[in-house]
Amino acid sequence: MRIIKLVKFVGSSSGPLLGSWHRDYDFPDPTRDKNVRAILKGARSEYGTQPKQAQSLSIETLKRVVEYCDWEITEAAKIEGNRSELREARKRQLVAIRDKAFFLTGFWFAFRSDELVRLTFENIKFSMAEPKPGQAPKRRMELYLQTSKTDRESTGRSWQLEELPHLCPVNAMLDWQSARMVENGPVFVKIGRWGNLGDSAIHHNRVSEMMRVTLKKAGIEEGSFSSHSLRRGFANFAKSLDASTKDLMDWVQWSDERSANRYLDTSKSLPMKLLGERITQDKS
């Protein structure tokens, strides 16, 4: 049983971290020892299983989530009734505004769950981008994180993004800040039973559960979605548009190509693609 757990750990996304931690602190890397590698190779042959990965959240699924959130925001605003009903409607509206900003920010910035919950309004700046000739000026959002998983020296990192024509995290974040009516503190906070906004951020261990609730409300089968689904979804979307691995590694903060390849889906349609090209050639 211990051997099986060890094989699963080394084969998971955490496996390479074991070696990199030792190298970063000038310790011998146990994962490179020939005896250890030989033992693990034999154990993988005997006990190895396919590593579990979070389901990639596609751009189509993201669109459905945003459409649901927009619908919920609109419907909640229509509710009239007693104080209890109005408070419940206010909660529904706040949850939808928050979740819309959460999904869009997590997807386009490819953040990990702990990075999303550590975002603060103090470290978000909005500005107007320099307009291109013949185009209207666009709003720009800059996010700054003081530390991250791959930031060994804790120097911090900034990301900038101009508003998008569709599925825009910039406008969603502005809407959420306006609903919160604050300029500091954690961005993604808990929302109480009657729409009371908490002072503390959502715990990163609760992110996956929060996402699954929203996905279910949007009519999407939960599957194996988790906090990493947003990050993996963006990576595969960018790769489908021929983004280079180098650009992806910089934006998504991957330390090496091996880490990147674990996030990118294998092309399951390659045979059909090749057959399609052959058919096209035969017709021409």
Side-chain angles (χ1 to χ4, degrees):
M1 182 61 69
R2 290 181 179 179
I3 293 177
I4 295 174
K5 289 182 177 179
L6 178 60
V7 172
K8 287 182 178 180
F9 173 80
V10 174
S12 70
S13 59
S14 300
L17 296 178
L18 179 66
S20 61
W21 184 90
H22 281 77
R23 294 193 297 274
D24 288 342
Y25 292 94
D26 297 324
F27 290 116
D29 181 356
T31 64
R32 292 183 175 178
D33 182 275
K34 64 178 183 179
N35 293 323
V36 172
R37 292 168 72 90
I39 292 171
L40 289 176
K41 182 178 179 180
R44 273 193 293 266
S45 300
E46 183 72 21
Y47 304 106
T49 58
Q50 183 177 3
K52 293 183 179 180
Q53 286 186 317
Q55 184 175 345
S56 177
L57 192 141
S58 67
I59 193 78
E60 291 78 16
T61 302
L62 180 66
K63 182 180 179 181
R64 288 179 61 185
V65 170
V66 170
E67 287 175 345
Y68 158 73
C69 289
D70 286 339
W71 176 86
E72 183 78 343
I73 293 166
T74 302
E75 291 300 307
K78 296 178 182 177
I79 293 177
E80 297 179 356
N82 57 37
R83 185 179 179 183
S84 176
E85 290 170 331
L86 290 174
R87 289 170 73 178
E88 177 62 27
R90 176 61 176 164
K91 177 192 174 181
R92 284 176 53 190
Q93 194 172 53
L94 285 172
V95 169
I97 297 171
R98 180 200 65 187
D99 290 357
K100 178 180 176 180
F102 185 92
F103 271 82
L104 288 172
T105 303
F107 183 88
W108 290 114
F109 289 89
F111 281 168
R112 302 175 179 88
S113 60
D114 66 300
E115 292 169 339
L116 281 164
V117 299
R118 284 192 291 107
L119 273 177
T120 63
F121 280 114
E122 296 96 313
N123 291 326
I124 299 179
K125 294 180 180 179
F126 296 99
S127 60
M128 298 303 294
E130 189 69 27
K132 296 179 180 179
Q135 294 185 1
K138 294 182 178 180
R139 287 179 284 195
R140 176 195 291 134
M141 179 168 67
E142 180 179 351
L143 304 183
Y144 172 75
L145 284 175
Q146 293 178 323
T147 59
S148 65
K149 185 177 179 181
T150 55
D151 184 9
R152 302 296 183 187
E153 298 178 0
S154 298
T155 56
R157 162 76 191 270
S158 293
W159 291 259
Q160 289 188 12
L161 184 67
E162 293 181 9
E163 61 180 299
L164 304 175
H166 307 289
L167 304 176
C168 179
V170 181
N171 294 325
M173 185 64 77
L174 281 166
D175 289 342
W176 174 230
Q177 186 176 30
S178 177
R180 292 265 335 258
M181 295 186 291
V182 297
E183 295 183 357
N184 51 54
V187 174
F188 298 113
V189 296
K190 307 175 201 175
I191 299 175
R193 180 180 178 185
W194 300 113
N196 299 317
L197 294 166
D199 296 323
S200 58
I202 301 168
H203 195 279
H204 68 89
N205 287 338
R206 305 283 292 178
V207 168
S208 294
E209 178 185 349
M210 183 193 82
M211 288 178 58
R212 284 192 287 268
V213 169
T214 305
L215 288 163
K216 186 176 182 180
K217 289 180 179 178
I220 299 164
E221 293 186 12
E222 297 177 33
S224 56
F225 288 114
S226 74
S227 58
H228 262 58
S229 296
L230 295 169
R231 182 173 168 84
R232 192 172 178 210
F234 171 79
N236 283 288
F237 172 70
K239 199 65 178 175
S240 72
L241 297 180
D242 297 324
S244 70
T245 302
K246 181 180 181 299
D247 286 341
L248 265 174
M249 287 177 65
D250 178 61
W251 185 259
V252 182
Q253 302 178 90
W254 285 322
S255 57
D256 54 58
E257 290 195 25
R258 184 180 176 187
S259 299
N261 290 333
R262 271 195 302 273
Y263 275 85
L264 300 175
D265 293 333
T266 303
S267 177
K268 299 180 179 65
S269 59
L270 182 59
M272 292 305 298
K273 179 181 178 181
L274 294 173
L275 287 171
E277 291 175 351
R278 177 64 181 272
I279 292 170
T280 302
Q281 291 171 0
D282 290 344
K283 287 182 177 180
S284 59

